[in-house]
Amino acid sequence: MSDTVNKVGLNFRKTAFVTSAPDISKLPADTGAEIAIIGRSNSGKSSSINALCDNKNLAKTSRTPGRTRLINLFKIDDGKYLVDLPGYGYAQVPENMKRQWQKAMSDYLQERKCLSGIVVTMDIRTPLRDHDRMIIDWSIAANLPCLILLTKCDKLGTNKRKEMAAQVRDMLSEFGGSFTIIPFSALKKIGIDEVRSVLSKWYSLSHSDEHTQND
């Protein structure tokens, strides 16, 4: 069984839902460290959050992609949060609603001061679509660490997984940034410990930065 308590003491099993907000004005105070998870509506974003936190009921999943319509905030530990942003690129909803979601996402990414890292979920079989590239571009411009989560990797054999991860790494070289790439499966529990380790490091670094700024 995977150990949910990692080297810096974070226990992802303790993650609890805090609130849902239609926009950043309804979120709690802009303090602590938040890591945002974002991706296409059919990329397995909510399932990935549930697998990371070992709680299948934490983030709402649906057979109909595009059901995450609010900014959902989850608390891992004091001052450490996961943020589930609305999915993009797939939802069959009215255009005005899509614009509302896009504005909420854009405002969050550009204005939330405690944002400490970005996780971009993408189906390992169809990686780096247009919206994915836009988010990656933005993470570089904002000087934020970016984890590429190649979801549903159980759909491929081990060798094909490695091949696709290498292809994605090669494709990302055009962006000029530094990325972590992890093949991931919520269903088969592949890559969970690696992701927890990366996120814990980001939270730890963010905490160190706060102390440096406060000294």
Side-chain angles (χ1 to χ4, degrees):
M1 180 180 292
S2 297
D3 182 9
T4 53
V5 181
N6 50 58
K7 294 178 182 177
V8 295
L10 284 184
N11 186 347
F12 283 79
R13 276 203 179 103
K14 290 170 59 180
T15 303
F17 173 76
V18 177
T19 190
S20 291
D23 54 59
I24 60 172
S25 70
K26 303 298 191 297
L27 287 174
D30 195 350
T31 58
E34 294 178 358
I35 293 174
I37 300 183
I38 186 169
R40 290 180 65 83
S41 299
N42 57 346
S43 65
K45 182 166 53 71
S46 297
S47 297
S48 297
I49 293 171
N50 290 344
L52 286 172
C53 300
D54 198 20
N55 182 346
K56 64 182 180 180
N57 298 315
L58 187 62
K60 293 181 180 179
T61 60
S62 171
R63 292 180 181 274
T64 306
R67 296 300 294 272
T68 304
R69 303 184 178 188
L70 300 169
I71 299 171
N72 295 305
L73 191 70
F74 304 93
K75 179 180 177 180
I76 299 174
D77 205 341
D78 289 342
K80 299 176 175 67
Y81 302 90
L82 276 177
V83 181
D84 183 13
L85 293 176
Y88 51 73
Y90 190 92
Q92 302 299 311
V93 296
E95 196 61 36
N96 66 325
M97 187 174 288
K98 284 187 181 181
R99 285 196 294 271
Q100 290 174 12
W101 296 356
Q102 288 167 357
K103 185 179 188 310
M105 264 197 311
S106 178
D107 288 348
Y108 175 84
L109 291 172
Q110 293 182 44
E111 299 181 27
R112 195 72 172 166
K113 302 283 193 300
C114 62
L115 180 59
S116 303
I118 301 282
V119 178
V120 185
T121 60
M122 53 187 82
D123 190 320
I124 192 170
R125 299 164 297 178
T126 55
L128 291 173
R129 308 284 284 272
D130 288 347
H131 281 84
D132 302 329
R133 290 172 176 271
M134 287 171 58
I135 297 299
I136 290 166
D137 264 335
W138 180 88
S139 73
I140 294 172
N143 197 30
L144 283 172
C146 184
L147 167 60
I148 308 300
L149 204 63
L150 298 177
T151 61
K152 307 182 186 182
C153 75
D154 56 282
K155 304 292 186 183
L156 304 178
T158 304
N159 290 337
K160 187 63 176 177
R161 274 181 227 151
K162 292 178 180 177
E163 181 184 322
M164 287 303 297
Q167 282 184 25
V168 170
R169 186 173 299 281
D170 186 57
M171 293 164 72
L172 286 170
S173 63
E174 70 185 68
F175 290 89
S178 178
F179 306 95
T180 302
I181 302 168
I182 299 178
F184 187 88
S185 168
L187 181 65
K188 300 293 185 181
K189 312 300 183 189
I190 298 168
I192 289 177
D193 286 338
E194 291 90 335
V195 176
R196 287 175 180 153
S197 178
V198 170
L199 300 191
S200 296
K201 181 181 178 182
W202 289 0
Y203 285 122
S204 178
L205 288 172
S206 176
H207 185 67
S208 298
D209 289 343
E210 285 179 16
H211 279 295
T212 300
Q213 290 167 8
N214 292 332
D215 289 344

